[in-house]
Amino acid sequence: MKLLSMVTALSLAATSLVNAPARQTPAHQTSARPAAGYTAEIRRTEYGIPHVTAKDHGGLGFGYGYAFAQDNLCVLASWVITLRGERSRTFGPEEQSDDAVRPVDNLTSDVYYRGVAASGVIRRVLAQPPPLGPSAELRELVAGYAAGYNRYLEETGVANLPDPACRGKSWVGPITADDIWANLLDLNRMAGSSPLKEAIAGGAEPEKTGAPERTGEEAASPAPGSNGWALGRRATRSGHGMLLADPHFPWNGIRRFYQVQLTIPGVLDVSGGSLYGTPVVQIGHNARVAWTHTVSHAQRYTLYRLKLAGDGAYLVDGRSEPIGRQVVEVPLQDGTVTRRTLSTSRYGPVLAAGRDDGYAYALADVNAANLRSADEWLAMGKARDLAGLRAAQDAHQGMAFVYTLAADVSGTATFADASVVPHVTDAQAGRCTVPSPDPSLEAYVLDGSTSACLWGRDRDAVVPGVFGPAAQPRLTRADYVANSNNSPWMTNPAAPLTSYAKVWGRSRTDVEPRPRVSLDMIARRLSGEDGLGAPGFTLETLQATAQAKRNLTFEMMRADVAAVCRAHPAATASDGRRVDLREACRTLAAWDGRATLDGAGAVLWREFYTGLERPHKPGEPFQPWWKVPFDPEHPLTTPRGLKRDDPYVLRSLADVVQRFASDGIPLALTPGQAQRYASVAIPGCTEAEGCFDRIRSRGRLGADGRYPDVDTGSSFMMAVELTPSGPRARTILTYSLSANPSSPHHADQTALFSRGQWVTERFTEAEIKADPHLRVTTVRG
């Protein structure tokens, strides 16, 4: 098993209350079965969005868990089976797991998660006082969330669940607080151990009683990403702070966002997007502060090369240390049990991949025992300004793999990579880096035979082995900070960040098309050159800018493509046939360069441009097509241009035109015709093309002119203006609130997203009570 396939995948993150059993009263007040203990009120506004209020954290978690179960119980029920390592027994070992980011066969998934459970890591973390372990408030929130989910399940009954995906299924049952902790830990490991299940669990023939093992095929993975802008008083026309959140997370499974407002009067009042199965808001705002996250470029793990000493041992400082052995047993559907032995070291799990006679490799994951992020988000939700938000992050240091961009009511904007990063200085990397078993691996591979290569420690770090807050790349501005998964150095081109260790990401490197179009969109809005009126952002122009559907690569190459078309009305395809290019050229010339539903030419451009990145024949080397290569002195204008007369470029265009003709696909095919989710036409284009609010499908364009359904991209979009009189916010949950296909909220916001519309958020008491669709439920347990 090669590390390439295991590791580089990481290097490259009416309302639903109609289904509730509670009885309506004439005042639109419903009440679940009363009992002593938890109490919460769930108010549902249009599109089913829940606003949960309670007098304490336990009640808040209870109400949230109950509301979430109403909409998405089946997704979490299936994921709990995953976290418990029971998928092989429930669904069969050869089927694919429900991991939304990197699915594997169920047997591999079960081996990995049973290994995590048997390690006792969650038990050890829960035994720690805060900030290493959870706060009392978070413990109450988690326990309440599990209890609320269970109360809804008890009242409804498995046989009566509204979602056919799990209605009447024997594997649906109560969950525990430990399941929620396991989900939080797995979320934090999403950029480290969790996507490396195959490398950790191994694919060798296991010891087994019963039938031979079968494994599923590896599936393509939707890569999480995001855009984020924090706008200060010099960038907005009102002088207020503003924020745009545009996370690009999976559209299916446990890593979807759920929209919610969580309120404990006088203590907490936060609204935004909360990942499934988590009782806190990850991206959101309160009355005075708004924040978002994008996936950071920093490394989350290192590999340590172990020098094997024979007899199941390895050497550190010349002394032999035994490789630990952990036997994991996985029950199967037929009543048999399969066993697999996992190996461990002082650094972390020893990978089953990449071993030879002299060396093995251990994975050191900086988030291996991190549950601090949930307390950090809870504290961020209570912050009253950027100083309070920063204090929350410095106190907990739990952000697992994301940058933070935030603005407050004072009109200040800030960026920080406040995430957990292995303490590897450039000097230590120079001393300790050893040859990698995979040349494409971006993570450091360090010498595990000497303790001098252990991660260092900062005095201001809450745990050893990570950088403290003083070392983090940070920037605070009165105009703006922005990130689209680029490294920190181009957070604001007026103030490049360069003085950070390489483990945080490289500086002076290609900014790439999506971050480039992001920064260009801001620059054009601040200059007023984007056609949206006077310079500076308003809430309305922020929304319009974010959904402009610009395709930067086409904009950069449009003139060159026109020149190619004038000079070459025909070209030779890879199979040697001559292809008439004139109709394709007319289609591209007429296209406005925006991936709107009716963007005739958008799909043709995508297939041509992405075809440039793929070899035309097996084994063919990559052919650079840029006329002007990247220049770090001009990071926002290079690379640019198309090599007009390059035979590779002409062949690429001929190939795509030929393929459209052979499949009977019209060259003017539009995104609205080619892209769907839940039968709704979806606008947008891809990361590679330089699209800001990007989407992606898991597969190529079919002969029927359709892509597979969209599976990742813009997910919970939020535009917020923070004013002294309160926040003004617009949101759109692109895939809607419920995964249940029979729910009225399965695709209602998706239809809005398709049309470029937003939801006006209801945050204040007056706004919530004014909703004519308001439905209120009181839940107790």
Side-chain angles (χ1 to χ4, degrees):
M1 188 184 302
K2 294 183 178 180
L3 281 175
L4 179 63
S5 61
M6 300 297 102
V7 180
T8 56
L10 171 63
S11 300
L12 297 177
T15 74
S16 60
L17 286 181
V18 297
N19 299 316
R23 188 163 46 94
Q24 293 282 343
T25 69
H28 302 295
Q29 181 82 19
T30 68
S31 180
R33 185 176 66 183
Y38 300 119
T39 301
E41 184 177 75
I42 304 168
R43 294 181 290 179
R44 298 263 187 174
T45 53
E46 60 262 80
Y47 305 102
I49 298 169
H51 307 256
V52 184
T53 303
K55 68 181 187 312
D56 53 35
H57 290 83
L60 188 66
F62 184 81
Y64 185 14
Y66 189 101
F68 178 82
Q70 289 179 303
D71 295 313
N72 295 296
L73 182 142
C74 289
V75 177
L76 185 51
S78 175
W79 186 242
V80 166
I81 297 298
T82 301
L83 294 171
R84 293 176 180 177
E86 297 176 352
R87 295 197 69 83
S88 295
R89 177 170 60 191
T90 306
F91 305 111
E94 73 283 356
E95 299 297 328
Q96 289 285 287
S97 70
D98 58 348
D99 190 316
V101 177
R102 187 177 174 84
V104 296
D105 65 89
N106 284 337
L107 180 58
T108 298
S109 177
D110 288 345
V111 170
Y112 172 80
Y113 285 111
R114 284 181 172 255
V116 173
S119 74
V121 58
I122 293 176
R123 182 182 66 253
R124 290 193 299 274
V125 175
L126 293 180
Q128 298 267 7
L132 302 184
S135 66
E137 292 84 0
L138 180 61
R139 292 173 193 266
E140 294 168 7
L141 197 64
V142 167
Y145 188 93
Y149 172 105
N150 292 339
R151 172 49 59 93
Y152 172 75
L153 180 61
E154 176 189 10
E155 291 178 346
T156 307
V158 175
N160 300 314
L161 289 172
D163 190 343
C166 69
R167 183 191 302 133
K169 302 297 184 183
S170 61
W171 47 268
V172 178
I175 65 173
T176 69
D178 283 348
D179 295 319
I180 304 304
W181 294 122
N183 182 43
L184 289 167
L185 178 65
D186 192 69
L187 171 63
N188 287 343
R189 290 182 168 196
M190 199 170 80
S193 307
S194 188
L196 305 179
K197 296 178 183 71
E198 291 161 300
I200 293 169
E205 190 71 15
E207 303 169 38
K208 182 174 185 304
T209 61
E213 175 194 26
R214 292 175 293 168
T215 57
E217 292 182 359
E218 178 180 312
S221 305
S226 300
N227 301 308
W229 296 349
L231 307 174
R233 54 190 173 274
R234 293 181 182 172
T236 65
R237 294 185 63 187
S238 65
H240 301 146
M242 298 176 69
L243 182 118
L244 175 70
D246 180 22
H248 299 167
F249 262 52
W251 283 28
N252 299 287
I254 198 67
R255 299 303 175 221
R256 291 189 5 152
F257 283 98
Y258 185 78
Q259 188 171 357
V260 68
Q261 182 175 2
L262 301 175
T263 304
I264 302 174
V267 176
L268 175 70
D269 193 9
V270 61
S271 182
S274 170
L275 289 167
Y276 279 23
T278 68
V280 291
V281 168
Q282 279 90 14
I283 289 176
H285 71 89
N286 57 33
R288 302 180 61 83
V289 182
W291 72 92
T292 188
H293 300 295
T294 64
V295 175
S296 162
H297 267 226
Q299 296 180 34
R300 302 301 153 196
Y301 66 91
T302 65
L303 295 184
Y304 275 96
R305 189 182 70 179
L306 307 181
K307 186 175 182 180
L308 300 178
D311 298 324
Y314 60 100
L315 296 176
V316 179
D317 297 334
R319 297 180 180 178
S320 178
E321 293 190 6
I323 293 177
R325 305 292 180 186
Q326 182 186 44
V327 177
V328 174
E329 295 186 345
V330 178
L332 305 183
Q333 280 181 314
D334 60 6
T336 62
V337 173
T338 185
R339 298 180 181 87
R340 191 168 291 174
T341 301
L342 305 181
S343 301
T344 63
S345 71
R346 64 154 62 186
Y347 304 106
V350 179
L351 302 184
R355 296 194 190 194
D356 59 31
D357 291 338
Y359 297 106
Y361 295 87
L363 175 70
D365 183 352
V366 76
N367 289 300
N370 177 16
L371 287 177
R372 301 184 304 278
S373 62
D375 260 319
E376 188 165 332
W377 278 309
L378 186 59
M380 289 166 63
K382 299 175 182 179
R384 295 186 56 79
D385 52 28
L386 290 184
L389 184 138
R390 182 174 299 152
Q393 295 203 307
D394 289 353
H396 297 283
Q397 298 175 31
M399 290 293 101
F401 54 85
V402 291
Y403 301 128
T404 300
L405 299 94
D408 67 9
V409 73
S410 75
T412 304
T414 191
F415 163 90
D417 191 344
S419 62
V420 188
V421 177
H423 195 295
V424 182
T425 65
D426 292 348
Q428 185 183 25
R431 293 192 312 269
C432 292
T433 300
V434 297
S436 172
D438 183 343
S440 65
L441 179 63
E442 295 180 4
Y444 285 136
V445 182
L446 305 178
D447 185 357
S449 69
T450 170
S451 57
C453 294
L454 289 169
W455 297 343
R457 180 169 188 174
D458 283 343
R459 289 185 177 182
D460 58 344
V462 299
V463 293
V466 305
F467 282 106
Q472 295 167 352
R474 296 189 180 208
L475 183 64
T476 298
R477 303 278 298 181
D479 53 359
Y480 73 90
V481 292
N483 187 267
S484 292
N485 305 127
N486 45 308
S487 66
W489 83 292
M490 280 288 108
T491 295
N492 184 310
L497 295 172
T498 56
S499 57
Y500 50 85
K502 291 185 176 68
V503 71
W504 297 90
R506 303 279 176 166
S507 63
R508 297 179 60 81
T509 57
D510 189 344
V511 179
E512 299 185 343
R514 179 162 60 92
R516 281 177 64 181
V517 77
S518 170
L519 293 170
D520 187 65
M521 288 158 63
I522 295 173
R524 288 173 182 261
R525 178 80 298 269
L526 295 184
S527 66
E529 297 175 3
D530 59 1
L532 294 177
F537 283 95
T538 64
L539 185 59
E540 292 70 29
T541 58
L542 179 58
Q543 295 171 248
T545 303
Q547 289 195 333
K549 302 291 184 290
R550 286 177 57 187
N551 186 309
L552 183 65
T553 57
F554 181 74
E555 292 177 11
M556 291 192 294
M557 298 184 189
R558 184 171 197 157
D560 291 307
V561 170
V564 167
C565 287
R566 288 192 298 269
H568 302 280
T572 302
S574 295
D575 63 3
R577 298 180 185 179
R578 293 290 288 176
V579 177
D580 188 336
L581 303 180
R582 288 175 294 181
E583 183 182 353
C585 288
R586 287 193 293 269
T587 300
L588 292 174
W591 180 42
D592 65 1
R594 296 179 186 266
T596 53
L597 289 178
D598 60 353
V603 177
L604 176 62
W605 175 258
R606 180 188 309 177
E607 293 301 302
F608 164 61
Y609 181 77
T610 57
L612 288 172
E613 298 187 319
R614 293 189 292 264
H616 295 177
K617 300 175 182 177
E620 187 176 61
F622 172 78
Q623 302 287 331
W625 66 87
W626 293 109
K627 183 164 53 181
V628 179
F630 173 71
D631 180 355
E633 298 303 319
H634 303 281
L636 301 184
T637 56
T638 61
R640 66 175 182 269
L642 185 67
K643 293 182 178 178
R644 298 179 178 180
D645 297 318
D646 190 321
Y648 183 82
V649 171
L650 293 172
R651 194 169 74 217
S652 296
L653 184 55
D655 282 351
V656 69
V657 173
Q658 183 185 63
R659 180 160 64 89
F660 273 50
S662 65
D663 290 338
I665 300 173
L667 292 169
L669 183 72
T670 67
Q673 295 166 325
Q675 299 171 169
R676 291 286 190 277
Y677 179 82
S679 300
V680 178
I682 301 296
C685 46
T686 65
E687 172 94 8
E689 298 168 83
C691 295
F692 181 74
D693 48 332
R694 61 114 178 183
I695 53 89
R696 200 192 81 168
S697 299
R698 192 178 296 194
R700 298 183 63 183
L701 184 68
D704 60 353
R706 291 278 294 272
Y707 292 103
D709 270 13
V710 172
D711 72 336
T712 191
S714 294
S715 46
F716 174 67
M717 299 184 72
M718 179 181 73
V720 186
E721 181 179 18
L722 299 162
T723 78
S725 58
R728 299 174 60 226
R730 307 290 184 267
T731 65
I732 188 72
L733 190 61
T734 57
Y735 34 67
S736 305
L737 196 72
S738 177
N740 173 12
S742 67
S743 168
H745 306 303
H746 178 62
D748 53 352
Q749 289 197 60
T750 309
L752 295 182
F753 176 68
S754 176
R755 300 190 296 266
Q757 297 175 314
W758 299 64
V759 176
T760 298
E761 184 192 71
R762 296 179 182 273
F763 182 78
T764 67
E765 281 294 301
E767 290 166 343
I768 294 169
K769 290 178 178 178
D771 181 10
H773 302 94
L774 182 65
R775 294 294 182 270
V776 183
T777 301
T778 299
V779 292
R780 298 184 177 92

